[in-house]
Amino acid sequence: MKKIGETDDGCETFCEPLVPENKAKLSKYFTPENKVALYTYDFEDNWEIKVRLEEILPKRKGAKYPVCTAGKRAAAPEDIGGTGGYEEMLDILEDPEHEEYEHTVAWLGKNFDPEYFKPKDIAF
């Protein structure tokens, strides 16, 4: 049973309200003076992603904003178990002799590359 004021994620009324991703205005979080924001994804596994504003460029006619210009690594698979589970997965993928290697590759798919990242693949 939830307490009065408690949300589905267990946060009580003193927590900051959650903002749906499709309703968030980046200009509310980033300015030339405030260039870093912490984005929390999957409250159960508590992925904390640091997003940094690198530069504000002149607006181009016909361009859709915001735009991701750089990043590192592929997105972590769902339900990997947080950063610890992700690090364990990376260790397994580096060792074809690991007892969980075949199972992990089958689960991820043969084309999974943890180093893959293309800014154009990022959707806002």
Side-chain angles (χ1 to χ4, degrees):
M1 176 183 280
K2 289 194 293 186
K3 298 176 190 172
I4 294 175
E6 186 177 34
T7 61
D8 287 337
D9 65 0
C11 185
E12 296 189 28
T13 54
F14 58 84
C15 296
E16 288 185 36
L18 300 178
V19 178
E21 295 166 349
N22 62 344
K23 304 278 187 213
K25 298 281 186 198
L26 293 180
S27 60
K28 180 179 176 184
Y29 301 97
F30 294 104
T31 66
E33 296 77 32
N34 181 42
K35 295 184 176 204
V36 178
L38 188 63
Y39 170 71
T40 303
Y41 172 77
D42 190 346
F43 287 103
E44 191 171 311
D45 287 336
N46 199 37
W47 286 96
E48 291 185 344
I49 301 158
K50 183 167 43 170
V51 181
R52 180 179 20 234
L53 173 67
E54 293 286 336
E55 186 176 8
I56 299 174
L57 301 171
K59 190 172 183 177
R60 288 189 333 231
K61 186 176 181 180
K64 185 177 176 186
Y65 294 98
V67 175
C68 176
T69 60
K72 293 180 184 177
R73 288 206 159 156
E78 288 294 323
D79 299 323
I80 194 69
T83 55
Y86 188 71
E87 291 296 327
E88 182 179 358
M89 179 206 71
L90 293 175
D91 290 343
I92 291 169
L93 291 177
E94 288 178 6
D95 181 9
E97 301 299 317
H98 192 285
E99 64 185 66
E100 294 290 320
Y101 181 82
E102 293 297 325
H103 171 76
T104 302
V105 170
W107 177 59
L108 294 170
K110 293 179 182 180
N111 294 327
F112 180 79
D113 176 6
E115 298 304 321
Y116 174 85
F117 183 87
K118 284 197 177 176
K120 291 185 189 251
D121 291 345
I122 302 300
F124 289 93

